[in-house]
């Protein structure tokens, strides 16, 4: 029928397959979507189809009023216990626009290209910042199983602790997206250090990015060392167990890498189980194709995919959402206050993070650090800073480059919105200029930003106060 692994099949409430939607799934319009987008769009379609079915409306016959009512329920209705924000609605509107355009419905019941069908608050509900010390707290409690007192809990198993902390550390230092960092191969881990030895640089493959353009990224040496520790410990153990139990022998697809070429456009060459040889540019391999790549180790085939499950199998990029959910739940459980403080809406007691929070936080951190460097290292006056920015680009443009954004205004508007109204020079001026503190010691600067700006999680101070009260 032309269906591929992971393609959705839609059943109506009377258990009939929707043949029209089956054609949509096999269409070129749907095929062009990323795997994650296909999964998200399928969920969006299912919810809308259920809504229209409850009204007795066939989806090809939906009209603008039907979609207006659906949007009102999804976004605004007080009776809806799980209303969605602007970014989520815009994604759903894009999914529905694709569906109705493909079906030739006219006029379109919803058109994401029209301003009236887009949410004005898109982007604001997706941004999440955590200060460096809040990330340390989140990782210690959520991923390392520490107690409120900072000690490992007696009941903590921590079977994937090294893997999880290495992944989060890599995202936090590099600003990689979940798929970009989650689909790395072992030989793509950045090993070459820059001159000062603080950062290593690697290349994000074009096929893993949203814009389909590769870019250079930078990861701290500490985060790379954590990845290498994971490779030598948890990962090696998982591979050995999988080999002993023959899990790799039962995989439906396996490509053994025979060579990886060098140069500006490296290629991966392989041979499959049937002896068929193939090759592809490394930057063009999708995350699914990367999961098929293996190397020949001393004890048999080993996945080239970096992040593995406990069973030694490649871990899908979207599976990291579950790791973050579990860590968030543990932080909530351990740090949840009791009594009247439980309902204090003005204070946060438990950090909450998503894979994308690392990207947001890295951008905020680098903006502050780059401003700090300009102020401290060069001692520039406001006029000199303007001249410097004309020659080399100001911190906004440097952060834009690190994130891989095509437009610096996107960097300012979405990722760093809480601090765009602040004069960072005045924030940094409050730091004792005569002190010899290192640039990395920025907890005080972030604490002030968090106090003066909404939307930034900085929780160490509140934790210290609770511990003091408990004592």
């Amino acid at each position: 029928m032309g269906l591929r692994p992971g393609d959705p099949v839609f059943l109506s409430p009377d258990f009939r397959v929707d043949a029209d939607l089956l054609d949509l799934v096999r269409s070129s319009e749907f095929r062009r979507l990323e795997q994650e987008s296909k999964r998200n769009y399928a969920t969006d379609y299912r919810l809308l189809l259920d809504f229209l079915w409850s009204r007795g409306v066939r989806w090809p016959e939906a009209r603008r009023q039907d979609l207006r009512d659906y949007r009102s329920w999804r976004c605004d209705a007080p009776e809806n216990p799980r209303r969605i924000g602007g970014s989520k609605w815009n994604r759903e509107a894009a999914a529905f626009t694709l569906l109705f355009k493909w079906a030739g419905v006219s006029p379109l019941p919803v058109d994401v290209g029209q301003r009236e069908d887009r949410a004005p608050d898109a982007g604001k509900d997706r941004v999440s910042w955590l200060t460096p010390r809040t990330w340390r707290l989140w990782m210690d409690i959520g991923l390392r199983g520490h107690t409120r007192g900072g000690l490992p809990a007696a009941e903590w198993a921590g079977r994937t602790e090294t893997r999880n902390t290495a992944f989060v550390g890599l995202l936090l230092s590099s600003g990689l997206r979940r798929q970009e960092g989650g689909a790395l191969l072992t030989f793509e881990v950045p090993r070459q250090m820059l001159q000062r030895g603080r950062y290593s640089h690697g290349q994000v493959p074009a096929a893993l990015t949203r814009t389909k353009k590769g870019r250079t990224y930078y990861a701290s040496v500490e985060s790379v060392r954590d990845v290498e520790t994971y490779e030598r410990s948890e990962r090696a153990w998982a591979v050995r167990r999988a080999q002993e139990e023959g899990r790799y022998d039962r995989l439906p697809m396996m490509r053994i890498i025979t060579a990886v070429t060098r140069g500006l456009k490296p290629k991966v060459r392989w041979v499959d189980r049937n002896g068929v040889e193939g090759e592809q540019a490394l930057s063009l391999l999708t995350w699914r194709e990367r999961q098929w790549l293996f190397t020949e180790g001393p004890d048999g085939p080993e996945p080239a995919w970096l992040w593995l499950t406990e069973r030694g199998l490649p871990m899908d990029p979207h599976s990291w959402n579950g790791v973050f959910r579990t860590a968030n739940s543990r932080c909530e459980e351990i740090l949840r206050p009791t009594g009247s403080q439980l309902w204090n809406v003005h204070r946060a007691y438990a950090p909450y993070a998503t894979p994308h929070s690392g990207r947001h936080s890295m951008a905020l951190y680098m903006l502050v650090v780059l401003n700090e460097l300009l102020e401290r290292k060069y001692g520039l006056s406001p006029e000199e800073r303007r001249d410097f920015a004309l020659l080399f680009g100001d911190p906004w443009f440097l952060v834009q480059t690190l994130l891989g954004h095509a437009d610096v205004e996107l960097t300012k508007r979405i990722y760093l919105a809480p601090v765009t109204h602040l004069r960072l020079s005045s924030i940094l001026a409050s730091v004792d200029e005569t002190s010899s503190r290192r640039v990395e010691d920025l907890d005080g600067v972030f604490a002030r930003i968090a106090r003066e700006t909404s939307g930034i999680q900085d929780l160490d101070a509140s934790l210290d106060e609770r511990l003091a009260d408990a004592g």
Side-chain angles (χ1 to χ4, degrees):
M1 296 178 64
L3 289 177
R4 300 175 180 175
D7 283 348
V9 176
F10 295 90
L11 301 179
S12 62
D14 61 1
F15 303 106
R16 295 177 182 270
V17 174
D18 191 311
D20 290 333
L21 290 176
L22 198 62
D23 289 338
L24 168 69
V25 171
R26 296 182 295 177
S27 69
S28 59
E29 292 87 346
F30 197 83
R31 285 273 188 253
R32 285 196 296 265
L33 298 175
E34 294 290 335
Q35 193 67 31
E36 183 76 2
S37 296
K38 291 179 181 178
R39 181 166 42 251
N40 291 333
Y41 277 29
T43 301
D44 300 338
Y45 292 152
R46 180 178 61 83
L47 294 173
L48 176 64
L49 293 170
D50 285 344
F51 175 82
L52 295 174
W53 182 277
S54 69
R55 289 188 157 196
V57 176
R58 296 180 62 251
W59 67 263
E61 300 170 354
R63 296 294 177 258
R64 289 196 67 83
Q65 189 59 50
D66 295 314
L67 270 296
R68 289 195 189 102
D69 292 344
Y70 182 71
R71 176 180 177 180
S72 177
W73 169 257
R74 292 286 282 159
C75 302
D76 305 317
E79 299 84 2
N80 185 354
R82 292 184 175 86
R83 294 193 298 273
I84 62 174
S87 296
K88 180 68 167 63
W89 168 254
N90 283 356
R91 191 196 76 189
E92 293 189 4
F96 303 151
T97 302
L98 183 150
L99 169 65
F100 291 117
K101 278 187 175 180
W102 171 84
V105 176
S106 182
L108 289 175
V110 62
D111 185 355
V112 73
Q114 300 296 322
R115 178 177 297 181
E116 63 186 44
D117 287 338
R118 294 196 306 268
D121 61 338
K124 298 179 181 179
D125 55 336
R126 297 184 59 191
V127 183
S128 175
W129 290 268
L130 284 75
T131 63
R133 64 179 179 181
T134 305
W135 273 109
R136 293 194 294 268
L137 174 67
W138 184 86
M139 292 177 70
D140 284 344
I141 293 179
L143 299 181
R144 296 190 176 99
H146 288 188
T147 64
R148 184 181 297 199
L151 299 175
E155 72 279 4
W156 179 252
R159 295 189 303 271
T160 57
E161 175 183 323
T162 305
R163 181 199 68 188
N164 297 344
T165 53
F167 177 80
V168 174
L170 180 65
L171 261 59
L172 188 56
S173 76
S174 65
L176 293 173
R177 294 183 176 92
R178 180 192 63 190
Q179 179 170 283
E180 294 169 349
L184 288 177
L185 303 176
T186 53
F187 53 83
E188 290 180 309
V189 176
R191 316 283 184 180
Q192 184 175 355
M193 293 186 295
L194 300 181
Q195 182 178 5
R196 297 291 182 180
R198 296 292 310 282
Y199 279 83
S200 299
H201 63 89
Q203 194 71 17
V204 183
L208 302 182
T209 67
R210 289 183 177 178
T211 59
K212 301 309 175 189
K213 295 180 180 180
R215 72 176 189 277
T216 300
Y217 72 96
Y218 301 88
S220 69
V221 170
E222 291 81 2
S223 68
V224 173
R225 287 173 180 163
D226 289 341
V227 172
E228 292 172 344
T229 299
Y230 158 68
E231 290 182 275
R232 293 192 301 266
S233 56
E234 285 181 6
R235 188 182 187 279
W237 178 85
V239 169
R240 186 165 57 252
R241 286 288 303 274
Q243 290 172 336
E244 293 173 352
E245 298 179 11
R247 293 193 184 114
Y248 300 144
D249 298 332
R250 298 190 292 271
L251 292 177
M253 176 68 76
M254 177 184 290
R255 293 172 173 175
I256 302 295
I257 297 176
T258 57
V260 179
T261 65
R262 304 288 182 178
L264 295 177
K265 296 181 179 180
K267 292 184 177 181
V268 178
R269 295 183 178 134
W270 66 78
V271 59
D272 66 16
R273 283 196 172 119
N274 297 320
V276 178
E277 298 180 350
E279 69 174 25
Q280 181 58 278
L282 181 60
S283 64
L284 299 182
L285 290 170
T286 66
W287 70 266
R288 182 67 70 185
E289 291 174 306
R290 288 165 165 262
Q291 290 188 335
W292 300 339
L293 295 177
F294 281 70
T295 59
E296 195 63 63
D299 300 314
E302 300 180 3
W305 186 271
L306 176 60
W307 309 105
L308 304 181
T309 66
E310 289 185 83
R311 294 173 55 82
L313 301 176
M315 182 173 177
D316 288 353
H318 65 268
S319 297
W320 286 106
N321 290 351
V323 173
F324 277 74
R325 281 195 299 268
T326 301
N328 289 331
S329 297
R330 177 169 172 78
C331 287
E332 176 72 20
E333 176 185 354
I334 298 299
L335 300 177
R336 186 178 179 86
T338 58
S340 60
Q341 291 295 332
L342 179 62
W343 311 109
N344 188 345
V345 298
H346 301 292
R347 297 186 64 183
Y349 288 91
Y352 177 88
T354 67
H356 220 59
S357 299
R359 182 170 168 84
H360 299 157
S361 301
M362 174 268 193
L364 177 62
Y365 177 81
M366 291 305 298
L367 178 66
V368 174
V369 168
L370 290 170
N371 274 277
E372 173 92 340
L373 287 172
L374 288 178
E375 293 287 342
R376 289 178 175 275
K377 184 172 182 178
Y378 300 107
L380 303 179
S381 66
E383 293 78 14
E384 291 170 331
R385 286 195 63 174
R386 284 195 293 270
D387 294 339
F388 186 91
L390 290 174
L391 289 173
F392 303 106
D394 65 14
W396 289 106
F397 287 96
L398 296 175
V399 172
Q400 172 204 0
T401 301
L402 291 172
L403 294 174
H405 285 166
D407 183 6
V408 70
E409 292 303 318
L410 176 65
T411 309
K412 292 181 178 181
R413 184 176 67 252
I414 297 181
Y415 284 89
L416 306 176
V419 294
T420 54
H421 70 287
L422 298 174
R423 291 180 57 86
L424 282 175
S425 58
S426 65
I427 295 173
L428 296 169
S430 66
V431 182
D432 184 6
E433 295 293 340
T434 63
S435 69
S436 59
R437 71 186 260 191
R438 298 176 304 168
V439 172
E440 298 86 352
D441 185 17
L442 294 170
D443 281 346
V445 178
F446 280 104
R448 180 177 175 186
I449 295 177
R451 286 196 301 269
E452 298 180 358
T453 311
S454 62
I456 300 177
Q457 300 181 49
D458 184 55
L459 302 180
D460 258 14
S462 61
L463 179 61
D464 293 341
E465 292 171 10
R466 286 204 311 283
L467 291 175
D469 294 341

